[in-house]
Amino acid sequence: MNDKAVRLQSVSHHFGSVEVIRDLSLEVSHGEYVAVVGPSGSGKTTLLNLISGFLEPSSGTITRRGESRMVHQQDGLYPWLTARENIALGLRTRRGTAGRPGRLEAMLDLIGLNGFADHYPHQLSGGMRQRVELARALAGEAEILLLDEPFSALDYLTRVRLRGELERLIRERPRTVILVTHHLEEAAQLADRVVLLTGRPARIRCVLEIPRPRPRRPTDPAVVEAVERLLGELGADPETSAIIPPDHVARADGGGR
Amino acid sequence: MEAGLDSRPALRGKAVPEDGRWWFSLAVPIAVVGLWVVLSQVGAIAPAVLPSPRAVVVCLGEELWSGRLGDDAIASLFRVAVGFGLAVLLGIPAGLAMGHSALARAVLLPAINFFRSLSPLAWIPFAILWFGIGDAPAIFLIFMATVFPMALATTAAVVSIPSVYLRVAQDFGLCGWERLAKVVLPAILPQVITALRVTAGLAWLVVVAAEMIAGRDGLGFAIWDARNGLRMDLLVAEMIVIGIVGVVLDRVLLRLMTLPSVRWGYER
């Protein structure tokens, strides 16, 4: 019996002649929290679009048990709907209409935006918009949550705060989560397992289990150690490599005049 | 605040104080009329070249009182309403089809670009030949002038819908007509409203020309009639009415931009 929430078997994907993903296999168990990390343009978003069913893979198979909801990097809310109406959209597939108003209010409570329910997205800050999008994705009964760099457009403090909120929301109603990010610390803090992708075409470079139970602080030794290992894998460990060579800095100064 | 125009004052020059705005808006008309009054009074312009403001005001009063000007304005507005309405009813669905289907674009775009480049006035002889004199030829010409830009603007709006909106639609099980009504139409509405304003202005320009040649009433016909009777005062009075009606028409459509569900399209 297939007890996996998501299973990718030898998945490859091309856009025209550009190969984005090559022979990628990945299994995610029910209730597991997996982070997928990789360089920009390595096909992480494509991977989520394949898992959500928005794209069909060029080859290989993808099976998904349960509905999925995606949270986008930014501008995923419908700008013509208020925060309340956007979240109401997330309730659509819940069976029956009973309890819907209550559920909506509960979601607004959960993200602490009751006072902004009737605001349009362009009237909200970036952090508020992402909270509304999280609420929209979590409002339904979808078993699988796909997060596409959900906090990367936010400032550091807001993103740390929202990570905490996401943790709390997932704890209250556990789901399978696949988080795509290029932020190593975020991945190591939130996930049970971090999957590191290569550059394009994306393949799995390595998989790292984070042994400490969630929730964790960004400064948790297990998180710090994981980040160091990931940096080492990427060849960007500050101990072993000079990221900005001194002569490069000098040239940059000269060009700035 | 002037909807849709002054939401980003930093990009549009120094803001004008709210209470002084109406005065700023009237400054140029007052200056022009003032100059006209002075030049007529001192006899710098012969009445045969440009009638005096006094003559125009008297004529405007007479024409309004007799109801002729009102009837002509209503006749013109009726033609615009029907011709433009038909263009919207046909242009928006055509634009939706072209926006969604590359095949529809391949089939329709070349023809639409050809007809869009053809001045609607070139159709006047055929309009008279096919529809005679009266409402029909003017409606036909207005339709020909506005349907193609309307279709093209709608196509462009559909093509530029961010793909994330469609992915979200799929996530939440919106498809078919529901997707059209709840995602595609609201997403293109701000651009469609802008296109409506532009094409409605175009319709108002075309109706005057159409009525001059293929009408028995309407403001365009009245212009032609005044010219034939060498009634320059009447001519100017009618031009003033045409300009005012055009501005009012645009103001009415401008109100659409203040709808809460389209503000996002003008504020980003």
Side-chain angles (χ1 to χ4, degrees), chain A residues 45 49 52-54 68-70 72 75-80 89-90 92-93 120 122 136, chain B residues 164-174 178 182-183 186-187 260-261 263-264 267-268:
Chain A
T45 299
N49 284 335
S52 76
F54 190 74
S68 72
R69 290 279 183 270
M70 175 116 74
H72 303 87
D75 298 329
L77 293 175
Y78 285 148
W80 54 88
L89 195 64
R92 274 174 54 92
T93 46
Y120 286 88
H122 72 270
R136 182 175 72 178
Chain B
V164 63
Y165 294 168
L166 305 178
R167 275 179 297 180
V168 170
Q170 192 190 26
D171 250 10
F172 293 105
L174 293 162
E178 205 177 12
K182 292 187 174 167
V183 181
S261 59
R263 291 300 311 148
W264 61 274
E267 282 184 7
R268 272 208 283 210

Side-chain angles (χ1 to χ4, degrees), chain B:
Chain B
M1 187 197 257
E2 297 255 328
L5 295 175
D6 297 330
S7 54
R8 287 178 294 175
L11 292 177
R12 299 178 188 280
K14 204 171 162 183
V16 176
E18 282 290 326
D19 50 349
R21 293 183 76 109
W22 64 274
W23 165 246
F24 275 73
S25 312
L26 286 178
V28 172
I30 286 173
V32 170
V33 172
L35 189 68
W36 183 20
V37 169
V38 171
L39 291 178
S40 313
Q41 284 301 109
V42 301
I45 313 176
V49 175
L50 186 68
S52 72
R54 179 194 292 274
V56 170
V57 169
V58 168
C59 173
L60 198 57
E62 282 171 1
E63 289 296 309
L64 286 172
W65 186 249
S66 71
R68 281 192 294 268
L69 211 45
D71 289 346
D72 281 331
I74 287 168
S76 297
L77 281 170
F78 168 74
R79 287 160 192 158
V80 165
V82 177
F84 182 54
L86 287 173
V88 169
L89 283 180
L90 207 82
I92 290 181
L96 287 170
M98 287 192 292
H100 278 297
S101 148
L103 180 67
R105 280 201 293 281
V107 170
L108 294 174
L109 262 186
I112 285 182
N113 273 320
F114 172 81
F115 284 116
R116 185 181 61 125
S117 311
L118 196 58
S119 166
L121 306 184
W123 286 101
I124 287 179
F126 279 116
I128 296 171
L129 185 66
W130 294 339
F131 301 106
I133 299 287
D135 287 335
I139 290 170
F140 169 72
L141 291 170
I142 292 165
F143 176 80
M144 292 304 278
T146 51
V147 70
F148 304 116
M150 202 63 229
L152 284 176
T154 308
T155 306
V158 173
V159 168
S160 65
I161 294 177
S163 72
V164 63
Y165 294 168
L166 305 178
R167 275 179 297 180
V168 170
Q170 192 190 26
D171 250 10
F172 293 105
L174 293 162
C175 51
W177 291 106
E178 205 177 12
R179 189 176 84 151
L180 179 70
K182 292 187 174 167
V183 181
V184 175
L185 288 179
I188 64 170
L189 198 54
Q191 279 167 274
V192 167
I193 289 174
T194 305
L196 283 176
R197 282 183 66 197
V198 173
T199 45
L202 200 57
W204 191 240
L205 294 181
V206 167
V207 74
V208 172
E211 288 168 346
M212 278 185 172
I213 297 166
R216 253 190 242 110
D217 57 359
L219 291 168
F221 175 78
I223 290 257
W224 201 241
D225 204 36
R227 180 250 173 216
N228 285 337
L230 293 178
R231 284 286 308 278
M232 293 305 157
D233 52 342
L234 186 54
L235 194 69
V236 175
E238 277 150 0
M239 285 169 73
I240 290 171
V241 171
I242 289 170
I244 290 174
V245 172
V247 170
V248 169
L249 214 58
D250 189 56
R251 290 270 131 177
V252 170
L253 289 172
L254 192 70
R255 301 298 298 169
L256 291 176
M257 290 183 161
T258 60
L259 294 172
S261 59
V262 301
R263 291 300 311 148
W264 61 274
Y266 310 111
E267 282 184 7
R268 272 208 283 210

